[in-house]
Amino acid sequence: MGRGTLRIYLGAAPGVGKTYAMLSEAHRRVGRGTDCVVAFVNHHGRPRTEALLHGLEQVRPCEITHGSALSTEMDVDAVLERAPAVALVDELAHTNLPGSRNAKRWQDVEELLRAGIDVISTVNIQHIESLGDVVESITGVGQQETVPDEVVRRADQIELVDMSPQALRRRMAHGNIYQPDELDAALSNYFRPGNLTALRELALLWTADRVDEYLQQYRGEHNIRTTWQARERIVVGLTGGPEGRTLIRRASRMAAKGSGSEILAVYIARSDGLTSASPKELAVQRTLVEDVGGTFHHVIGDDVPAALLEFARGVNATQIVLGSSRRKNWQYIYGPGVGATVARESGPDLDVHIVTHEEVAKGRGLPIARGARLGRARIIWGWLVGVVGSILLSLLLRSLENGPGLANDVLLFLFLTVAAALLGGLRPALASAAVGVMLLNYWFTPPTHTLTVQDPENFVAIVIFFAVAVAVSSVVDLAARRTHQAARLRAESEILSFLAGSVLRGETALDALLERVRETFAMESVALLERASDVDPWTCAGFVGPALVARPDDADVDMPVGDNMALALSGRVLPAEDRRVLGAFAAQAAVVLDRQRLVWEAEQARRLAEGNRIRTALLAAVSHDLRTPLAGIKAAVSSLRSDDVAWSPEDEAELLEGIEDGADRLDHLVGNLLDMSRLQTGTVTPLIREIDLDEVVPMALGGVPEGSVDLDIPETLPMVAVDPGLLERVVANVVENAVKYSLGGEPIAVAASALGERVELRVVDRGRGVPDEAKERIFEPFQRYGDAPRGAGVGLGLAVSRGFAEAMGGTLDAEDTPGGGLTMVLTLTAAPGRDQAQDRAVLPAEATS
């Protein structure tokens, strides 16, 4: 079964008659024998619309209770079961009530279409999603119910139900749309004449664009190349010269004479990259085109007139605006010009306007010589060797009494011609050949001192000399140009290879890429600019160089990247052939910028996820671990305050001891939570000073039972650079954790040793140990290993300890204890160049307390 067709009646405002037109169409189809049913229609109490429902089969809607009210929605299952040929579904943008099959009515319609049922529906222009903000700016009323543009554009038929604002307001005044008590408010607010006129124009333009899409599709399917003048489209041909602004303004005035006219400005560049256009001027003209409501297009084509006509016919243009030629009279030897060619080849379907301007006949400059890329110095040397060298060679040969002979003279002149071609290219070589022929003929071919040749063999020799000179010069010049092109292409391939490699390596350093652009093209500064939309100001996303270019229009070279991003370079104007590589750099810069932002967003998402995980664990800890001691404290306090029981002094002491233990546990838990919060927010600032371990570690053991720790800290250990308070917290947490998990009451060992510039403190227990895969996990927040009881803490001790150790420049790691158990290794930085014995000899006793 194929997909059904969708027909939509589009209106500019409520009450124009969309539902009436839909029901009228249903009656016509039923009269022709079509199986047509009303799936859902809301007549809004309008009597004429309600009357049209009579005689049409209606599918009973489903009833849904929403709050205290009973409402109805379309019963999709009932319609699918009925399976009519055509279903009428009113208000395509409607939002279904909670509990319905789909959230939106257009989704219900999609189901009917997939089932092969043809659907006729209605929608107002203000409900199309892309136009919601425009309608709100016109009417001041935001639209809560919208339908995606694509849903409406995919419709097989769209019929505009049009009505003038005056007629619509008369219908309202007659009570055909709203009840009398609602009439005054509607006429003075949403249904004001200005609002209705603007909405009507919006609906007409949107429908015209849709019709234009149908037309373009039809022309493409039927391969129609001639212009159908259904709508005025004016193509402005730009050269990048100063006359472009005049042409754009002239085209704008022409478009203003016909409503709905379009302006399309097109700049055609040659595929080899050669162009005489000014990037700055093109950027200004592009902005001007956008200001007058037109669009700018960049087209590649070696034959400019043919490319311009192809573009104009492709967009179904009706007029072409060109400027009068800037050529001087003698420059017409290169051809008739673009304007004359386009006018001759346009045919009867395209009107060509030649607009005069101030730059007419002021000259466009000579074409760039092929040899110009060889460098000015080489070209000068080519001319000197080819012309002056030939004259000097003839003087030298004339000074010899017995010359080498005509054959050798010809070879010597040929050598100079080849040298001229190698140095300066084709033109100096041709000049050298011509001068050589004249000198050979005048000085060395009998009869001498005349331009006549007596011996036919000598004439043949001179002719062959000239032909060989021209051929060799051409080949040498071609080889030189090919060598230059190969070197350039090799450089371009190296640059493109670098860009491709950076993509594969995932390099995200935007500044490094911009610096590479600056070095490659020898520019002063490079900036990557972007903006949110065409009307927003430009902002700098990345920049290298001494001076920032704030706008692409201010740059010497502007390379657009999409619609709202550009690479701006200042320092010099680049030749057009360099813009191909610059375009690759610009595209890569955009990719790098996007990658940087994605990495930043991923990091932000990771932090948010980590924060959410910690918050979830914190809530779990608060809900259990913190409430447990609170419950014990409350129970003990309630018992002490109870008047029903007489507590003995021993019982009171026991209850008070329980309160004290619970308060201590709370203090410990809250302290760890606060420490973890400080570590997460990066607000831990250690106060580093030099101190002995034997001054801090014993103080950290106050919270463990006596005899549960064997302490071994040699007096010869060097001092450590730490924050004493943080170090005490680290040692206390690690030791208390080791005592907690030690088996059989066996004491744990706390030993210190020096290793180069580091001091290690080892806390060794004989417990169950931790597998290798879990050694890092035990340092994560809110982690308990194994079956630790819930009242044992919130799993922050080791996480806080590692965080404090790293804040002091140390490390905290877990290792296996030989023979079973776990060893926690705290590595600290030793004080530079000093040991304990030296310090005790220098410092007074009170300085170490």
Side-chain angles (χ1 to χ4, degrees), residues 699-775:
M699 299 174 60
L701 305 180
V704 297
E706 187 176 353
S708 60
V709 177
D710 290 337
L711 187 61
D712 180 18
I713 299 181
E715 295 184 356
T716 57
L717 281 178
M719 301 181 75
V720 291
V722 296
D723 183 315
L726 296 183
L727 178 59
E728 182 179 346
R729 293 292 306 279
V730 172
V731 175
N733 281 341
V734 172
V735 171
E736 290 175 7
N737 191 74
V739 171
K740 184 191 307 179
Y741 288 99
S742 183
L743 299 178
E746 184 175 353
I748 66 171
V750 178
S753 61
L755 183 62
E757 297 180 354
R758 313 290 289 176
V759 174
E760 290 185 351
L761 181 69
R762 293 177 173 268
V763 180
V764 184
D765 69 60
R766 294 294 179 179
R768 294 177 304 165
V770 177
D772 291 340
E773 62 272 12
K775 283 187 172 63

Side-chain angles (χ1 to χ4, degrees), residues 502-642:
S502 64
V503 172
L504 296 176
R505 292 189 298 270
E507 297 177 355
T508 57
L510 179 60
D511 291 343
L513 180 64
L514 297 181
E515 183 63 31
R516 180 67 181 263
V517 175
R518 190 165 73 99
E519 294 176 356
T520 300
F521 298 101
M523 306 299 288
E524 292 181 0
S525 62
V526 179
L528 183 62
L529 307 177
E530 61 177 348
R531 57 182 178 180
S533 66
D534 294 340
V535 298
D536 291 322
W538 289 95
T539 59
C540 180
F543 166 72
V544 293
L548 173 63
V549 181
R551 299 186 308 160
D553 297 345
D554 300 333
D556 293 308
V557 180
D558 166 29
M559 175 56 67
V561 188
D563 294 332
N564 298 315
M565 186 177 292
L567 194 65
L569 297 82
S570 63
R572 64 188 181 94
V573 177
L574 288 179
E577 56 190 2
D578 287 344
R579 293 178 64 86
R580 291 175 296 182
V581 178
L582 183 59
F585 270 112
Q588 177 64 9
V591 171
V592 169
L593 180 62
D594 289 341
R595 183 182 292 125
Q596 282 186 346
R597 289 174 174 171
L598 289 175
V599 169
W600 181 83
E601 291 175 0
E603 178 63 20
Q604 292 297 110
R606 186 194 65 79
R607 291 182 180 179
L608 289 175
E610 179 68 16
N612 288 333
R613 188 183 69 82
I614 291 177
R615 280 192 291 272
T616 302
L618 176 60
L619 289 174
V622 170
S623 65
H624 186 280
D625 297 290
L626 296 183
R627 294 181 64 182
T628 299
L630 279 175
I633 294 173
K634 179 174 177 57
V637 172
S638 298
S639 299
L640 288 174
R641 295 188 60 186
S642 175

Side-chain angles (χ1 to χ4, degrees), residues 216-225 228:
Q216 295 292 350
Q217 180 181 354
Y218 180 85
R219 284 164 53 84
E221 291 173 353
H222 293 78
N223 197 26
I224 298 173
R225 306 302 299 166
W228 289 1

Side-chain angles (χ1 to χ4, degrees), residues 156-215:
D156 299 275
Q157 297 181 61
I158 298 177
E159 183 170 334
L160 179 66
V161 182
D162 188 29
M163 179 176 289
S164 68
Q166 295 78 10
L168 181 58
R169 286 171 61 86
R170 281 197 301 269
R171 287 194 63 192
M172 294 184 64
H174 294 158
N176 294 333
I177 300 177
Y178 290 120
Q179 298 299 322
D181 57 340
E182 302 173 342
L183 185 60
D184 291 339
L187 288 174
S188 60
N189 290 285
Y190 191 89
F191 288 87
R192 293 195 300 267
N195 289 357
L196 295 177
T197 302
L199 292 175
R200 186 189 188 197
E201 181 180 12
L202 197 62
L204 290 169
L205 290 175
W206 195 92
T207 308
D209 288 338
R210 186 69 180 110
V211 172
D212 189 61
E213 291 177 12
Y214 283 135
L215 180 61

